[in-house]
């Protein structure tokens, strides 16, 4: 009997929650779950408010099992998870801002997404950064508007000469109230919003949203749609990884790599536009299936581009490996230890470059990945170099996956009909985006509209680790370390 | 590395490959741009990109402007790190309330004459986030906008077209 089973057995199961169970627990079981999290026996997948209830999604890694526990908040309060398990801290600060529920014992009560521009605080709060004192220390404030073409966020560095003593992030600048817009929306609107949580992961989010809706309604997407979705997801992963490999090198002032990787990425986007009608494949995945088919010519174009990338990519990998000045920047820079990666349940290349092998395509084997052959590359070193290598190896894996999917693409329809639920139903999905696992949980009302939808980006568990990874590095290496994490601001800020 | 660099020397540049219709349009856009920008700004235009709350989709396509296919720098257009160096602000996103002040200050830090391009459907009117109480609306909810480039996100070609359209309207202001 696994740790998670023990927790779930004691609770009252929700009537329609798929594919994993959700149970309402009492305070004692909630506390027990927090202890299991703090003890490293469970991994936190998500934590979100729902009216006067708080839900917590848990992963039992050895058992590869997922479950949700829910606690009714008496008087709008509940025992804080972050009190004993720091990875929940920002989730709880955000939850407090958005729902007004109070996590009792929350170690940091400063607002997070609420900057005093909307919501309960009418005035911009005097945001006190954590104190960092010592001889010769000074602060460097960066953002929210950054020098490059990137998203907005504030970084407060405390430095001693060149060396970063502490980085504190302040995020929330791109908060768009996405979850509030989801409430009461129809499924088409919901799918559009989900695809705009983080633009670089538009396929992953649309897929996670669609799978959650289908789980709630008990619908299975047609086989052709399932394969086309995976094709888009792998295409998105490839385009992003190729872009990132170049961009990381660019932040080490090695522009040649960026120039070559950007060419490969651009070719992928052009083929995607020809094949699916949109360069980023946005709005192509909807609940029930997909809206775009792949014709024979487009399939052939994808095959040819994969073959071309296979020809060109090894020379770039060799260039990366054999350029001493570049290796000098990436090897041992931005170290993230395996303990923190495990504790935070870091997904994607951040986790897998620090020895955490989790990949939801493998661990939860959602279709069609249960029928496809691929490896999950893992590196133990935890530096920028390892995060580049995870991407390089994943490019190779995804190229093979694309070939296999195109070859085995089943015939048939593209969309299944969605029934009216007739009663409230809940669904959940975990999908592996290029950055890590995206979690979508939702409850549909009897009328089929969205009653509540929570979207958790992998960045929630990666941003705090960047603060740890940058410690002891020089300020000039921050862009490099930051790019190697490439966390989403918009996905986090919602 | 030598091999790669050498190959780049003997291979024709990507931008001059036998053009598909798209590339031909791109080439034409480029020539038109060079003519107008020489008249107005002495062959250079500095752009500062500001994300005022976008989903980062528009940023991906702005980045693509720099790749070998579009090679925006060949037109004398470059992205600069500070608004104080900029002629044009390219602003993306529905402007979130949390970014309103930062956008306003960035605009104020940009010297005159200056132009603002609102990029993307969200930049136009807030897009699918317009109804959110955390969002102020399109870019013109905070700063005056000279040009909107539609799309979700607009393609790099759309953006190039937009930049030329902007130059054509500069006559009165420059």
């Amino acid at each position: 009997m696994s740790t998670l089973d023990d927790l779930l057995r004691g609770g009252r199961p929700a009537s329609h929650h798929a594919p994993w169970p959700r149970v309402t627990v009492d305070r004692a079981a909630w506390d027990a779950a927090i202890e299991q999290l703090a003890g490293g026996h469970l991994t936190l997948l998500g934590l979100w408010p729902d009216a006067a209830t708080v839900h917590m999604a848990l992963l039992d890694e050895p058992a590869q099992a997922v479950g949700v526990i829910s606690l009714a908040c008496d008087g709008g309060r509940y025992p804080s998870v972050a009190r004993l398990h720091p990875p929940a801290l920002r989730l709880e600060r955000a939850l407090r801002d958005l729902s007004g529920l109070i996590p009792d014992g929350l170690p940091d009560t400063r607002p997070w997404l609420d900057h005093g521009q909307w919501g309960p605080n009418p005035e911009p709060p005097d945001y006190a950064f954590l104190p960092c004192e010592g001889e010769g220390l000074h602060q460097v404030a960066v953002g929210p508007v950054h020098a490059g073409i990137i998203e907005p966020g504030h970084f407060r560095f405390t430095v001693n000469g060149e060396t970063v003593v502490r980085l504190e992030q302040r995020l929330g600048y791109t908060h768009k109230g996405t979850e509030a817009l989801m409430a009461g929306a129809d499924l088409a609107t919901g799918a559009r919003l989900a695809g705009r949580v983080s633009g670089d992961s538009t396929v992953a989010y649309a897929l996670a949203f669609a799978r959650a809706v289908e789980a709630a309604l008990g619908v299975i997407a047609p086989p052709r749609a399932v394969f086309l979705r995976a094709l888009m997801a792998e295409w998105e992963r490839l385009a992003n990884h190729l872009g990132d490999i170049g961009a990381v090198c660019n932040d080490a002032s090695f522009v040649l790599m960026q120039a070559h990787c950007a060419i490969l990425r651009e070719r992928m986007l052009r083929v995607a536009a020809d094949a699916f009608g949109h360069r980023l494949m946005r709005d192509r995945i909807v609940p029930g299936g997909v809206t775009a088919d792949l014709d024979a010519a487009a399939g052939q174009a994808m095959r040819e581009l994969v073959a071309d990338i296979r020809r060109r990519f090894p020379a770039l990998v060799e260039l990366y490996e054999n350029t001493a000045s570049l290796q000098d920047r990436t090897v041992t820079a931005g170290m993230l230890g395996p303990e923190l990666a495990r504790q935070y349940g870091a997904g994607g290349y951040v986790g897998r470059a620090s020895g955490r092998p989790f990949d939801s395509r493998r661990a939860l084997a959602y279709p069609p990945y249960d029928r496809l052959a691929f490896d999950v590359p893992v590196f133990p070193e935890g530096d920028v170099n390892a995060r580049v290598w995870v991407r390089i190896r994943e490019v190779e894996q995804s190229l093979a996956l694309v070939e296999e999917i195109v070859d085995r693409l089943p015939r048939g329809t593209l969309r299944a009909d969605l029934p009216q639920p007739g009663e409230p139903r809940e669904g959940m999905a975990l999908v592996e985006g290029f950055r890590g696992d995206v979690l979508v949980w939702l409850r549909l009302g009897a009328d089929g509209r969205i009653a509540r939808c929570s979207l958790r980006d992998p960045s929630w568990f990666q941003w705090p680790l960047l603060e740890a990874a940058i410690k002891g590095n020089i300020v000039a290496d921050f862009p490099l370390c930051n790019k190697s994490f490439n966390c989403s601001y918009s996905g986090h800020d919602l | 590395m030598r091999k790669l660099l050498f190959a780049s020397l003997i291979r024709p540049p990507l931008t001059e490959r036998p053009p598909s219709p798209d590339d031909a349009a791109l080439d034409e856009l480029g020539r038109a741009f060079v003519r107008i920008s020489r008249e107005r700004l002495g062959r250079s235009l500095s752009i500062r990109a500001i994300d005022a709350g976008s989903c980062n989709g528009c940023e991906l396509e702005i980045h693509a402007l720099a790749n070998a296919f579009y090679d925006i720098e060949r037109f004398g257009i470059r992205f600069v790190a500070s608004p104080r160096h900029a002629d044009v602000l390219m602003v993306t996103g529905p402007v979130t309330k949390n970014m309103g002040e930062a956008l306003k200050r960035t605009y104020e830090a940009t010297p005159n004459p200056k132009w603002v391009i609102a990029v993307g459907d969200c930049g136009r009117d807030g897009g699918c986030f317009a109804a959110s109480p955390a969002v102020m609306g399109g870019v013109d909810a905070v700063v005056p906008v000279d040009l909107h480039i539609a799309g979700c996100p607009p393609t790099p070609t759309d953006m190039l077209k937009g930049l030329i359209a902007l130059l054509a309207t500069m006559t009165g202001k420059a």
Side-chain angles (χ1 to χ4, degrees), chain A residues 45-221:
Chain A
L45 281 181
L47 182 69
W48 64 96
D50 179 9
T53 303
V54 58
H55 303 295
M56 177 155 66
L58 300 165
L59 169 72
D60 188 331
E61 284 193 66
Q64 303 201 331
V66 174
V68 180
I69 62 171
S70 309
L71 182 71
C73 301
D74 271 343
R77 311 179 83 88
Y78 75 95
S80 159
V81 179
R83 187 171 39 99
L84 295 174
H85 190 57
L89 182 59
R90 289 177 177 179
L91 285 165
E92 291 196 312
R93 288 171 68 187
L95 171 157
R96 191 166 162 267
D97 290 350
L98 297 177
S99 71
L101 297 176
I102 307 286
D104 271 327
L106 184 67
D108 184 345
T109 55
R110 292 174 298 170
W112 184 239
L113 299 181
D114 179 7
H115 291 196
Q117 305 292 338
W118 48 268
N121 296 324
E123 289 294 315
D126 190 11
Y127 194 84
F129 285 90
L130 299 176
C132 195
E133 288 164 9
E135 204 178 332
L137 297 186
H138 69 279
Q139 289 197 340
V140 181
V142 180
V145 177
H146 294 159
I149 306 169
I150 60 169
E151 300 176 77
H154 182 86
F155 299 117
R156 184 65 60 97
F157 298 94
T158 304
V159 295
N160 187 342
E162 285 281 301
T163 309
V164 178
V165 176
R166 169 182 266 162
L167 160 65
E168 188 179 350
Q169 299 152 354
R170 189 182 182 204
L171 303 175
Y173 289 94
T174 70
H175 176 69
K176 295 182 271 293
T178 308
E179 291 189 358
L181 289 171
M182 281 277 191
D186 57 35
L187 292 180
T189 307
R192 283 176 57 80
L193 283 169
R196 285 156 180 79
V197 170
S198 183
D200 49 18
S201 304
T202 182
V203 171
Y205 268 95
L207 178 54
F209 179 81
R211 286 185 52 78
V213 170
E214 289 156 16
L217 295 175
V219 171
I220 293 174

Side-chain angles (χ1 to χ4, degrees), chain A residues 378-454:
Chain A
V378 180
F379 288 78
E381 292 87 356
D383 54 2
V384 171
N385 183 50
R387 289 188 281 279
V388 172
W389 272 107
V390 169
R391 288 171 167 107
I392 290 173
R393 292 287 176 242
E394 288 188 6
V395 164
E396 293 162 1
Q397 293 299 317
S398 291
L399 288 172
L401 277 170
V402 165
E403 283 174 329
E404 192 180 351
I405 293 167
V406 173
D407 284 345
R408 290 174 55 186
L409 197 61
R411 291 174 186 283
T413 55
L414 297 177
R415 281 176 89 161
D417 290 333
L418 300 177
Q420 277 293 315
E423 60 187 336
R425 297 179 78 107
E426 298 169 348
M428 177 174 169
L430 210 60
V431 161
E432 195 70 17
F434 85 101
R435 184 179 277 121
D437 48 295
V438 170
L439 185 150
V440 172
W441 179 92
L442 52 77
R443 183 173 62 251
L444 302 179
D447 57 356
R449 284 179 169 266
I450 301 161
R452 172 81 178 94
C453 177
S454 164

Side-chain angles (χ1 to χ4, degrees), chain A residues 113 117-118 146-149 151-152 172-173 175-176 196 198-200 263 266-267 270 278-279 282 319, chain B residues 1 4 14 17 23 48 51 53-56 61 63 67 69-70 81 96-99 106 128 132 152 156:
Chain A
L113 299 181
Q117 305 292 338
W118 48 268
H146 294 159
I149 306 169
E151 300 176 77
Y173 289 94
H175 176 69
K176 295 182 271 293
R196 285 156 180 79
S198 183
D200 49 18
I263 290 168
E266 175 67 21
R267 288 204 164 118
R270 289 179 174 203
H278 193 284
R279 283 163 58 90
R282 180 165 265 173
L319 177 65
Chain B
M1 174 155 45
L4 268 172
L14 290 163
R17 282 186 153 189
D23 290 337
R48 170 68 243 204
D51 177 341
S54 92
C55 73
N56 78 32
E61 295 296 54
H63 266 293
N67 73 34
F69 291 86
Y70 306 105
T96 62
K97 289 194 177 160
N98 287 355
M99 270 304 286
T106 308
C128 57
S132 169
C152 186

